[in-house]
Amino acid sequence: MNSPLPEFTTPIAGPDAPHAVVIGSGIGGLAAAIRLGARGFRVTVLERLDAPGGRAYVHKQDGFTFDAGPTIVTAPFLLRELWNLCGKRFEDDVDLRLMSPFYRIRFDDGKVFDYHGDADKTRAEIARFNPADVAGYDAYMEISRRTYEIGFEKVGHLPFDSFADLMKMAPDFLALRAYRSVYNQVSHYVQDPYVRIVLSFHPLLVGGNPFSVPAVYTLISYLERQFGVYSAMGGTGAIINGLVGLIRGQGNRLRFNAEVDEILVEQGKATGVRLADGETLKADIVVSNADAAWTYRHLVPASARRTWTNRRIERSRFSNGLFVWYFGTNRRYEDVPHHAIVLGPRYKGLVTDIFKHKRLSQDFSLYLHRPTATDPGLAPEGCDAFYALSPVPHLEGDVDWSIHAETYRKAIEQRLEETMLPGLGASLATSLVTTPLDFENRLLSYRGAGFSFEPVLWQSASFRPHNRSEDVQGLYLVGAGTHPGAGMPGVISSARVLDTVVPHANTFR
């Protein structure tokens, strides 16, 4: 970031200060609450679960601690900014550790690529596969840098309230050939099929198909190399706890087991919310960190919606679903890094099955997370904590997870035992499974999608639900389903947009 981080704190809002209700305590909602508190609002965060985090909820079982969702921390300056807004130091509350390597990619034939932040180490890895691609890698990173400067620094925190806003940026994006898919952009610079996978898999971490997501997402490569890939000691839950502490330090409230049943709208303006138990909370503004599609489909009355009608939502494309197996072992696997990608025999064919055909394939690829590689305290002594995440179709597919979940889990167990974790079956100490059904029923994610709207070109920027609602005055959206999109930097940036679109609390007096 080129702009200096703000270093100020706002006095605790009094009882007569304008009231902002934030629906959901995911990272985007917590960040929104902090920003609103720093601008003079009295804030109430409502969370239907029994603890904060949303998709970043923390599971504890049999002495093991599992981050439910996001585990990859990039762009840490965005987190530091939130602490600075409260007159605090991020480092006093959260201990980040740089990953080395960032990821280990294991191909189906057993070849391994360690993807580093150090450019020379990555060049050396590429040279093992195809020396001719080293120069192409450098050229690709240059286009990634330019894409980052435009797609993240220049517009990542700005609202795209209209198509005209998008057209202003069109010449820049056209010059970068951002209309290409991520995979096509990568393939323009490198030829080796293994290297192409290494440089193009990142969209899968934010709910996108590398073969259809626009090349603006190649900015992730530069973002990671420039600022690093980190994990937090204590897990991502330590970041959640830190954010909650900032909100409470501002004198604002979080309420758990408080499910919002409806956003109240009077004469086109959001006036508060009604909870599932019938309680009504009045508000000057409402910010929804609930799933964007769910917000419009189930929380905003149909009579108040002209843009995001039921028909439009139902005809939209949604990201893949996620099958996540959390497990602990009674032994340690010291040669397994913190982040690993375990690829199956197919790349394009598999993601086509998931995104286009919406069918569950016999083969799969996995993101394997071993946080105890960095923080052994997340498991009992001598044990390891893991989760294996498999992209799967969302619930528009024909998979009955109430029947197939255990069969799929066993297949993952067998695959890991054959590849990264020998003796896994005999070493299991605890196990927990999450399927797209849980995303729908527990997290209220429309169609059980892991990342809300699929980030294809015609569902990006001004084509996504806007941060400032098109339909309801005083309603704002943050999180994966709005601009700029999914991933920790994306949802934190969606909260930064509020500084532009939400009037200061002083204007309500």
Side-chain angles (χ1 to χ4, degrees), residues 141-167:
M141 289 305 300
E142 172 59 20
I143 204 74
S144 175
R145 179 191 66 79
R146 291 167 55 197
T147 304
Y148 164 83
E149 289 176 349
I150 295 171
F152 193 92
E153 285 194 343
K154 194 172 181 179
V155 303
H157 62 286
L158 298 178
F160 274 82
D161 276 351
S162 68
F163 182 69
D165 292 334
L166 179 62
M167 293 309 295

mmCIF file of all heavy atoms in Angstrom, residues 141-167:
data_model
loop_
_atom_site.group_PDB
_atom_site.id
_atom_site.type_symbol
_atom_site.label_atom_id
_atom_site.label_comp_id
_atom_site.label_asym_id
_atom_site.label_seq_id
_atom_site.Cartn_x
_atom_site.Cartn_y
_atom_site.Cartn_z
ATOM 1 N N MET A 141 5.337 -12.371 -13.582
ATOM 2 C CA MET A 141 5.294 -11.629 -12.330
ATOM 3 C C MET A 141 5.230 -10.124 -12.563
ATOM 4 O O MET A 141 4.647 -9.389 -11.774
ATOM 5 C CB MET A 141 6.500 -11.986 -11.459
ATOM 6 C CG MET A 141 6.450 -13.386 -10.867
ATOM 7 S SD MET A 141 4.941 -13.722 -9.906
ATOM 8 C CE MET A 141 5.064 -12.471 -8.627
ATOM 9 N N GLU A 142 5.796 -9.657 -13.660
ATOM 10 C CA GLU A 142 5.692 -8.243 -13.976
ATOM 11 C C GLU A 142 4.254 -7.879 -14.319
ATOM 12 O O GLU A 142 3.736 -6.834 -13.877
ATOM 13 C CB GLU A 142 6.623 -7.880 -15.136
ATOM 14 C CG GLU A 142 6.468 -6.470 -15.680
ATOM 15 C CD GLU A 142 6.698 -5.372 -14.646
ATOM 16 O OE1 GLU A 142 7.338 -5.643 -13.604
ATOM 17 O OE2 GLU A 142 6.223 -4.241 -14.871
ATOM 18 N N ILE A 143 3.562 -8.736 -15.087
ATOM 19 C CA ILE A 143 2.160 -8.440 -15.406
ATOM 20 C C ILE A 143 1.299 -8.585 -14.150
ATOM 21 O O ILE A 143 0.321 -7.858 -13.954
ATOM 22 C CB ILE A 143 1.642 -9.341 -16.557
ATOM 23 C CG1 ILE A 143 0.452 -8.674 -17.264
ATOM 24 C CG2 ILE A 143 1.243 -10.705 -16.079
ATOM 25 C CD1 ILE A 143 0.821 -7.539 -18.148
ATOM 26 N N SER A 144 1.672 -9.522 -13.262
ATOM 27 C CA SER A 144 0.964 -9.665 -11.988
ATOM 28 C C SER A 144 1.130 -8.409 -11.139
ATOM 29 O O SER A 144 0.177 -7.939 -10.501
ATOM 30 C CB SER A 144 1.491 -10.888 -11.235
ATOM 31 O OG SER A 144 0.904 -10.986 -9.951
ATOM 32 N N ARG A 145 2.341 -7.837 -11.137
ATOM 33 C CA ARG A 145 2.583 -6.605 -10.377
ATOM 34 C C ARG A 145 1.715 -5.466 -10.906
ATOM 35 O O ARG A 145 1.076 -4.737 -10.123
ATOM 36 C CB ARG A 145 4.055 -6.208 -10.463
ATOM 37 C CG ARG A 145 4.400 -4.916 -9.705
ATOM 38 C CD ARG A 145 5.795 -4.431 -10.028
ATOM 39 N NE ARG A 145 5.927 -4.016 -11.423
ATOM 40 C CZ ARG A 145 5.502 -2.841 -11.900
ATOM 41 N NH1 ARG A 145 4.907 -1.967 -11.097
ATOM 42 N NH2 ARG A 145 5.660 -2.534 -13.183
ATOM 43 N N ARG A 146 1.677 -5.298 -12.207
ATOM 44 C CA ARG A 146 0.883 -4.217 -12.791
ATOM 45 C C ARG A 146 -0.609 -4.436 -12.526
ATOM 46 O O ARG A 146 -1.362 -3.480 -12.279
ATOM 47 C CB ARG A 146 1.163 -4.134 -14.291
ATOM 48 C CG ARG A 146 2.568 -3.643 -14.616
ATOM 49 C CD ARG A 146 2.914 -3.871 -16.084
ATOM 50 N NE ARG A 146 1.920 -3.259 -16.967
ATOM 51 C CZ ARG A 146 1.787 -3.567 -18.253
ATOM 52 N NH1 ARG A 146 2.583 -4.492 -18.803
ATOM 53 N NH2 ARG A 146 0.873 -2.966 -18.999
ATOM 54 N N THR A 147 -1.033 -5.685 -12.566
ATOM 55 C CA THR A 147 -2.433 -5.997 -12.271
ATOM 56 C C THR A 147 -2.748 -5.684 -10.819
ATOM 57 O O THR A 147 -3.827 -5.143 -10.501
ATOM 58 C CB THR A 147 -2.724 -7.467 -12.579
ATOM 59 O OG1 THR A 147 -2.370 -7.746 -13.940
ATOM 60 C CG2 THR A 147 -4.191 -7.795 -12.366
ATOM 61 N N TYR A 148 -1.829 -6.009 -9.926
ATOM 62 C CA TYR A 148 -2.011 -5.706 -8.503
ATOM 63 C C TYR A 148 -2.163 -4.202 -8.288
ATOM 64 O O TYR A 148 -3.048 -3.750 -7.543
ATOM 65 C CB TYR A 148 -0.824 -6.239 -7.702
ATOM 66 C CG TYR A 148 -0.738 -5.658 -6.308
ATOM 67 C CD1 TYR A 148 -1.488 -6.188 -5.265
ATOM 68 C CD2 TYR A 148 0.063 -4.552 -6.042
ATOM 69 C CE1 TYR A 148 -1.444 -5.629 -3.992
ATOM 70 C CE2 TYR A 148 0.120 -3.985 -4.778
ATOM 71 C CZ TYR A 148 -0.630 -4.541 -3.756
ATOM 72 O OH TYR A 148 -0.590 -3.979 -2.504
ATOM 73 N N GLU A 149 -1.310 -3.425 -8.939
ATOM 74 C CA GLU A 149 -1.336 -1.984 -8.723
ATOM 75 C C GLU A 149 -2.664 -1.369 -9.144
ATOM 76 O O GLU A 149 -3.154 -0.424 -8.514
ATOM 77 C CB GLU A 149 -0.189 -1.317 -9.482
ATOM 78 C CG GLU A 149 1.176 -1.625 -8.869
ATOM 79 C CD GLU A 149 2.322 -1.040 -9.672
ATOM 80 O OE1 GLU A 149 2.083 -0.579 -10.815
ATOM 81 O OE2 GLU A 149 3.464 -1.061 -9.168
ATOM 82 N N ILE A 150 -3.265 -1.925 -10.186
ATOM 83 C CA ILE A 150 -4.557 -1.405 -10.641
ATOM 84 C C ILE A 150 -5.710 -2.095 -9.908
ATOM 85 O O ILE A 150 -6.579 -1.439 -9.339
ATOM 86 C CB ILE A 150 -4.707 -1.581 -12.163
ATOM 87 C CG1 ILE A 150 -3.669 -0.727 -12.890
ATOM 88 C CG2 ILE A 150 -6.110 -1.202 -12.612
ATOM 89 C CD1 ILE A 150 -3.589 -0.976 -14.367
ATOM 90 N N GLY A 151 -5.695 -3.420 -9.910
ATOM 91 C CA GLY A 151 -6.833 -4.181 -9.397
ATOM 92 C C GLY A 151 -6.954 -4.190 -7.890
ATOM 93 O O GLY A 151 -8.053 -4.400 -7.358
ATOM 94 N N PHE A 152 -5.852 -3.960 -7.181
ATOM 95 C CA PHE A 152 -5.907 -3.970 -5.719
ATOM 96 C C PHE A 152 -5.666 -2.587 -5.137
ATOM 97 O O PHE A 152 -6.526 -2.035 -4.457
ATOM 98 C CB PHE A 152 -4.876 -4.956 -5.159
ATOM 99 C CG PHE A 152 -5.071 -5.259 -3.700
ATOM 100 C CD1 PHE A 152 -5.837 -6.333 -3.297
ATOM 101 C CD2 PHE A 152 -4.503 -4.462 -2.724
ATOM 102 C CE1 PHE A 152 -6.031 -6.607 -1.949
ATOM 103 C CE2 PHE A 152 -4.682 -4.714 -1.374
ATOM 104 C CZ PHE A 152 -5.453 -5.795 -0.986
ATOM 105 N N GLU A 153 -4.512 -2.003 -5.439
ATOM 106 C CA GLU A 153 -4.188 -0.711 -4.839
ATOM 107 C C GLU A 153 -5.113 0.402 -5.313
ATOM 108 O O GLU A 153 -5.512 1.266 -4.536
ATOM 109 C CB GLU A 153 -2.734 -0.324 -5.147
ATOM 110 C CG GLU A 153 -1.707 -1.084 -4.331
ATOM 111 C CD GLU A 153 -0.337 -0.446 -4.424
ATOM 112 O OE1 GLU A 153 -0.116 0.369 -5.349
ATOM 113 O OE2 GLU A 153 0.517 -0.765 -3.579
ATOM 114 N N LYS A 154 -5.444 0.385 -6.601
ATOM 115 C CA LYS A 154 -6.202 1.499 -7.179
ATOM 116 C C LYS A 154 -7.695 1.376 -6.974
ATOM 117 O O LYS A 154 -8.376 2.365 -6.671
ATOM 118 C CB LYS A 154 -5.884 1.608 -8.674
ATOM 119 C CG LYS A 154 -6.333 2.898 -9.328
ATOM 120 C CD LYS A 154 -5.788 2.995 -10.756
ATOM 121 C CE LYS A 154 -6.199 4.301 -11.415
ATOM 122 N NZ LYS A 154 -5.651 4.417 -12.795
ATOM 123 N N VAL A 155 -8.242 0.165 -7.101
ATOM 124 C CA VAL A 155 -9.707 0.040 -7.076
ATOM 125 C C VAL A 155 -10.229 -0.985 -6.075
ATOM 126 O O VAL A 155 -11.434 -1.100 -5.897
ATOM 127 C CB VAL A 155 -10.252 -0.316 -8.478
ATOM 128 C CG1 VAL A 155 -9.823 0.723 -9.500
ATOM 129 C CG2 VAL A 155 -9.812 -1.710 -8.921
ATOM 130 N N GLY A 156 -9.333 -1.724 -5.404
ATOM 131 C CA GLY A 156 -9.794 -2.777 -4.509
ATOM 132 C C GLY A 156 -10.630 -2.272 -3.348
ATOM 133 O O GLY A 156 -11.454 -3.011 -2.807
ATOM 134 N N HIS A 157 -10.432 -1.009 -2.940
ATOM 135 C CA HIS A 157 -11.163 -0.469 -1.802
ATOM 136 C C HIS A 157 -12.183 0.583 -2.218
ATOM 137 O O HIS A 157 -12.745 1.275 -1.372
ATOM 138 C CB HIS A 157 -10.171 0.163 -0.809
ATOM 139 C CG HIS A 157 -9.401 1.308 -1.377
ATOM 140 N ND1 HIS A 157 -8.378 1.126 -2.282
ATOM 141 C CD2 HIS A 157 -9.503 2.649 -1.183
ATOM 142 C CE1 HIS A 157 -7.882 2.310 -2.611
ATOM 143 N NE2 HIS A 157 -8.557 3.242 -1.975
ATOM 144 N N LEU A 158 -12.426 0.703 -3.528
ATOM 145 C CA LEU A 158 -13.390 1.689 -4.020
ATOM 146 C C LEU A 158 -14.686 1.006 -4.418
ATOM 147 O O LEU A 158 -14.689 -0.134 -4.883
ATOM 148 C CB LEU A 158 -12.817 2.442 -5.222
ATOM 149 C CG LEU A 158 -11.548 3.265 -4.973
ATOM 150 C CD1 LEU A 158 -11.082 3.901 -6.277
ATOM 151 C CD2 LEU A 158 -11.799 4.330 -3.912
ATOM 152 N N PRO A 159 -15.822 1.689 -4.274
ATOM 153 C CA PRO A 159 -17.093 1.084 -4.686
ATOM 154 C C PRO A 159 -17.225 1.065 -6.204
ATOM 155 O O PRO A 159 -16.692 1.938 -6.890
ATOM 156 C CB PRO A 159 -18.139 2.015 -4.061
ATOM 157 C CG PRO A 159 -17.456 3.338 -3.993
ATOM 158 C CD PRO A 159 -16.002 3.043 -3.707
ATOM 159 N N PHE A 160 -17.879 0.061 -6.709
ATOM 160 C CA PHE A 160 -18.256 0.028 -8.121
ATOM 161 C C PHE A 160 -19.778 0.145 -8.157
ATOM 162 O O PHE A 160 -20.487 -0.835 -8.341
ATOM 163 C CB PHE A 160 -17.775 -1.268 -8.776
ATOM 164 C CG PHE A 160 -16.363 -1.199 -9.285
ATOM 165 C CD1 PHE A 160 -15.290 -1.392 -8.427
ATOM 166 C CD2 PHE A 160 -16.098 -0.934 -10.621
ATOM 167 C CE1 PHE A 160 -13.986 -1.325 -8.886
ATOM 168 C CE2 PHE A 160 -14.797 -0.864 -11.097
ATOM 169 C CZ PHE A 160 -13.743 -1.054 -10.224
ATOM 170 N N ASP A 161 -20.253 1.379 -7.967
ATOM 171 C CA ASP A 161 -21.690 1.599 -7.855
ATOM 172 C C ASP A 161 -22.415 1.573 -9.196
ATOM 173 O O ASP A 161 -23.631 1.491 -9.239
ATOM 174 C CB ASP A 161 -21.963 2.940 -7.170
ATOM 175 C CG ASP A 161 -21.926 2.830 -5.656
ATOM 176 O OD1 ASP A 161 -21.856 1.707 -5.150
ATOM 177 O OD2 ASP A 161 -21.972 3.874 -4.984
ATOM 178 N N SER A 162 -21.650 1.696 -10.276
ATOM 179 C CA SER A 162 -22.310 1.758 -11.577
ATOM 180 C C SER A 162 -21.422 1.140 -12.639
ATOM 181 O O SER A 162 -20.210 0.957 -12.441
ATOM 182 C CB SER A 162 -22.618 3.213 -11.952
ATOM 183 O OG SER A 162 -21.411 3.924 -12.206
ATOM 184 N N PHE A 163 -22.040 0.859 -13.779
ATOM 185 C CA PHE A 163 -21.284 0.339 -14.911
ATOM 186 C C PHE A 163 -20.267 1.370 -15.389
ATOM 187 O O PHE A 163 -19.179 1.025 -15.856
ATOM 188 C CB PHE A 163 -22.248 -0.024 -16.046
ATOM 189 C CG PHE A 163 -21.573 -0.626 -17.250
ATOM 190 C CD1 PHE A 163 -21.009 -1.882 -17.193
ATOM 191 C CD2 PHE A 163 -21.504 0.084 -18.447
ATOM 192 C CE1 PHE A 163 -20.389 -2.443 -18.296
ATOM 193 C CE2 PHE A 163 -20.891 -0.461 -19.553
ATOM 194 C CZ PHE A 163 -20.332 -1.732 -19.481
ATOM 195 N N ALA A 164 -20.577 2.638 -15.215
ATOM 196 C CA ALA A 164 -19.650 3.706 -15.618
ATOM 197 C C ALA A 164 -18.356 3.626 -14.821
ATOM 198 O O ALA A 164 -17.272 3.895 -15.349
ATOM 199 C CB ALA A 164 -20.305 5.072 -15.430
ATOM 200 N N ASP A 165 -18.456 3.241 -13.541
ATOM 201 C CA ASP A 165 -17.250 3.086 -12.726
ATOM 202 C C ASP A 165 -16.346 2.013 -13.318
ATOM 203 O O ASP A 165 -15.117 2.160 -13.342
ATOM 204 C CB ASP A 165 -17.628 2.698 -11.292
ATOM 205 C CG ASP A 165 -18.343 3.812 -10.560
ATOM 206 O OD1 ASP A 165 -18.131 4.983 -10.919
ATOM 207 O OD2 ASP A 165 -19.124 3.503 -9.637
ATOM 208 N N LEU A 166 -16.963 0.930 -13.787
ATOM 209 C CA LEU A 166 -16.187 -0.149 -14.389
ATOM 210 C C LEU A 166 -15.556 0.305 -15.701
ATOM 211 O O LEU A 166 -14.390 0.000 -15.983
ATOM 212 C CB LEU A 166 -17.086 -1.370 -14.627
ATOM 213 C CG LEU A 166 -16.433 -2.587 -15.280
ATOM 214 C CD1 LEU A 166 -15.301 -3.132 -14.407
ATOM 215 C CD2 LEU A 166 -17.477 -3.676 -15.522
ATOM 216 N N MET A 167 -16.309 1.053 -16.498
ATOM 217 C CA MET A 167 -15.798 1.483 -17.800
ATOM 218 C C MET A 167 -14.612 2.433 -17.668
ATOM 219 O O MET A 167 -13.752 2.478 -18.548
ATOM 220 C CB MET A 167 -16.918 2.142 -18.608
ATOM 221 C CG MET A 167 -18.025 1.178 -19.030
ATOM 222 S SD MET A 167 -17.369 -0.310 -19.834
ATOM 223 C CE MET A 167 -16.632 0.412 -21.315
#
